Amino acid sequence: MSSSEADSTGIRRRFVVVGHDATTAGDFGLNDLAGATGRLDILLRCVNSAFLLSHDLRRDTELYLVLLGPPCPPRTLRLVGRELRHLNPDERSTAALLRQALRSPTEGQSSPGIHVKSLGLSTLLETFPNELVYLHENGTDIRQAALSLPTTFLLSDHHDLTPEEEAAVLGFRPQRLRLGPRPLHADHAILLVHNELDRRA
Amino acid sequence: MSSSEADSTGIRRRFVVVGHDATTAGDFGLNDLAGATGRLDILLRCVNSAFLLSHDLRRDTELYLVLLGPPCPPRTLRLVGRELRHLNPDERSTAALLRQALRSPTEGQSSPGIHVKSLGLSTLLETFPNELVYLHENGTDIRQAALSLPTTFLLSDHHDLTPEEEAAVLGFRPQRLRLGPRPLHADHAILLVHNELDRRA
């Protein structure tokens, strides 16, 4: 891995997670996050694994959650490590933060480090000038891969990318990498990427 | 890693997590898991990372949660992968399962694959005939380590082991292994162990 500096935003590791059914409204309750939010719970756990170290936060990391569920897709939440405050590891408190963001009808920052945008996947990927990595079980082993930072890592929720989404992603000529021999949840995959990059830093 | 068979219980990977303040009573609500349970939320996330694959469960894994908080420590919950039913990835539903276990005043099975015991850490470790690995930031890199299965991996919650606990653990002559250069949450550590073992299987 090159020791290149972070880009102008200070970001060295960027994750994009597609939530195919994830709610785009802030009207959900906090007591059935796995059932009533289009599996937003998966994305909540991605927030935890993207940013949290023991007694520390990953300031060089940025996470985009692309929400494609009803009622008003697409909406994308951008979480910026060096700006985040009040991020706790539990799902419920993170859900409250994201709900606050989704309650805003417009684009902008809802709380420190959490921004709302009306972007879909392709438009979002076009905004990143850096290398794109598509995490996929048929890819090259990440331990054998050359990686330069900043890099954007793309993951999906409990659904694979649709054929249309995958075609769009392949248009960006991504490196396709796998993390191991078993099929993993998105939040677990983020953890393994971080560990590999930590070891090379 | 040797290709030795699982032990007589079918377990090849065993994790023990010490919850220093974690409640030993089943009287907690589900709406403040990070605040009102002695950080049982950390252990809930360990349940997720110990057992859950994408659309599958790790049947060869066993997890012990050693609860040392009030009112009646120690109590230990044993979760057995090949027996578990109804395990969802979200914290709240797992909390409900563990609460049900803690509501039982006696030892025994509270739901499929979840057992309650009145054991502390040392007594528990004495019951395992296999190799003990103490996950610790000053250990040998796990990628360089020889590992034979079944193995028991010991972790702590947001607190380090106390000097007394560590002295007891060192009496079992554990292999001390680290997972990477950054300090990690216990649930994240479990994920990295699984990935390393998956790659060697």
Side-chain angles (χ1 to χ4, degrees):
Chain A
M1 189 168 66
S2 88
S3 58
S4 65
E5 290 304 301
D7 65 17
S8 60
T9 64
I11 299 302
R12 292 176 60 82
R13 308 176 185 191
R14 181 181 292 118
F15 296 92
V16 176
V17 189
V18 182
H20 288 91
D21 306 320
T23 182
T24 41
D27 59 354
F28 55 86
L30 300 177
N31 292 343
D32 186 18
L33 293 169
T37 66
R39 298 307 308 275
L40 189 70
D41 64 308
I42 295 172
L43 307 186
L44 300 173
R45 288 188 289 279
C46 289
V47 174
N48 173 309
S49 62
F51 293 109
L52 292 174
L53 290 163
S54 181
H55 308 291
D56 203 359
L57 209 65
R58 292 185 183 272
R59 301 280 172 197
D60 67 347
T61 296
E62 185 175 60
L63 172 67
Y64 287 80
L65 305 175
V66 181
L67 313 179
L68 300 178
C72 49
R75 298 189 85 186
T76 291
L77 301 179
R78 173 180 172 234
L79 288 83
V80 185
R82 68 190 153 76
E83 299 174 2
L84 284 171
R85 303 282 180 279
H86 320 301
L87 184 65
N88 293 313
D90 66 295
E91 290 171 17
R92 190 182 175 92
S93 67
T94 303
L97 280 174
L98 299 196
R99 184 174 66 175
Q100 183 182 344
L102 290 173
R103 282 180 173 168
S104 165
T106 57
E107 298 199 327
Q109 180 170 256
S110 62
S111 61
I114 304 187
H115 308 257
V116 194
K117 292 170 178 284
S118 298
L119 287 176
L121 180 61
S122 292
T123 319
L124 176 66
L125 293 179
E126 284 169 7
T127 67
F128 305 139
N130 315 115
E131 185 185 356
L132 180 64
V133 169
Y134 176 24
L135 294 169
H136 192 283
E137 59 195 14
N138 292 333
T140 304
D141 185 353
I142 192 170
R143 292 194 186 179
Q144 314 304 327
L147 291 168
S148 60
L149 296 184
T151 293
T152 300
F153 296 89
L154 176 68
L155 307 91
S156 192
D157 59 0
H158 58 306
H159 298 305
D160 290 335
L161 292 185
T162 66
E164 294 74 16
E165 288 167 343
E166 186 162 70
V169 166
L170 295 180
F172 292 95
R173 305 179 64 82
Q175 191 176 189
R176 197 190 293 234
L177 299 183
R178 72 177 157 81
L179 297 162
R182 307 295 298 270
L184 300 171
H185 285 283
D187 58 318
H188 297 181
I190 289 173
L191 245 300
L192 296 175
V193 170
H194 270 318
N195 182 252
E196 184 62 28
L197 295 177
D198 289 344
R199 289 170 167 274
R200 298 188 190 195
Chain B
M1 188 170 68
S2 88
S3 59
S4 66
E5 290 303 301
D7 66 17
S8 60
T9 63
I11 299 302
R12 291 174 61 81
R13 309 177 185 191
R14 180 181 293 117
F15 297 93
V16 176
V17 189
V18 182
H20 288 92
D21 307 319
T23 182
T24 42
D27 59 355
F28 55 86
L30 300 177
N31 292 343
D32 186 20
L33 293 169
T37 65
R39 300 306 309 275
L40 189 71
D41 64 309
I42 296 171
L43 307 186
L44 300 173
R45 289 188 289 278
C46 289
V47 174
N48 174 309
S49 62
F51 293 109
L52 291 175
L53 290 162
S54 182
H55 307 292
D56 203 0
L57 209 64
R58 292 186 182 273
R59 301 283 173 195
D60 66 347
T61 296
E62 184 177 59
L63 172 67
Y64 287 80
L65 305 175
V66 181
L67 312 179
L68 300 179
C72 49
R75 299 189 84 184
T76 291
L77 301 179
R78 173 180 173 234
L79 288 83
V80 186
R82 67 191 154 77
E83 298 174 1
L84 284 171
R85 303 282 180 278
H86 321 301
L87 183 66
N88 293 313
D90 65 296
E91 290 170 18
R92 189 181 175 92
S93 67
T94 303
L97 281 174
L98 300 197
R99 183 172 67 173
Q100 182 181 344
L102 290 173
R103 282 181 173 168
S104 165
T106 57
E107 299 199 326
Q109 179 169 259
S110 62
S111 61
I114 304 187
H115 308 257
V116 194
K117 293 169 178 283
S118 299
L119 286 176
L121 180 60
S122 292
T123 319
L124 177 65
L125 293 179
E126 283 170 7
T127 66
F128 304 140
N130 315 114
E131 185 186 355
L132 179 64
V133 169
Y134 177 23
L135 294 169
H136 192 283
E137 58 194 14
N138 292 332
T140 303
D141 185 353
I142 192 170
R143 292 193 185 179
Q144 314 304 326
L147 291 168
S148 60
L149 296 184
T151 293
T152 301
F153 296 89
L154 176 68
L155 307 90
S156 192
D157 59 1
H158 59 307
H159 298 305
D160 290 335
L161 292 186
T162 66
E164 294 75 15
E165 288 167 343
E166 186 162 70
V169 166
L170 295 180
F172 292 95
R173 306 180 64 83
Q175 191 177 187
R176 197 189 292 234
L177 299 183
R178 72 177 157 82
L179 296 162
R182 307 295 299 268
L184 300 170
H185 284 283
D187 57 319
H188 297 181
I190 289 172
L191 246 301
L192 296 175
V193 170
H194 270 319
N195 182 252
E196 184 62 28
L197 295 177
D198 289 345
R199 287 169 167 274
R200 299 187 189 196

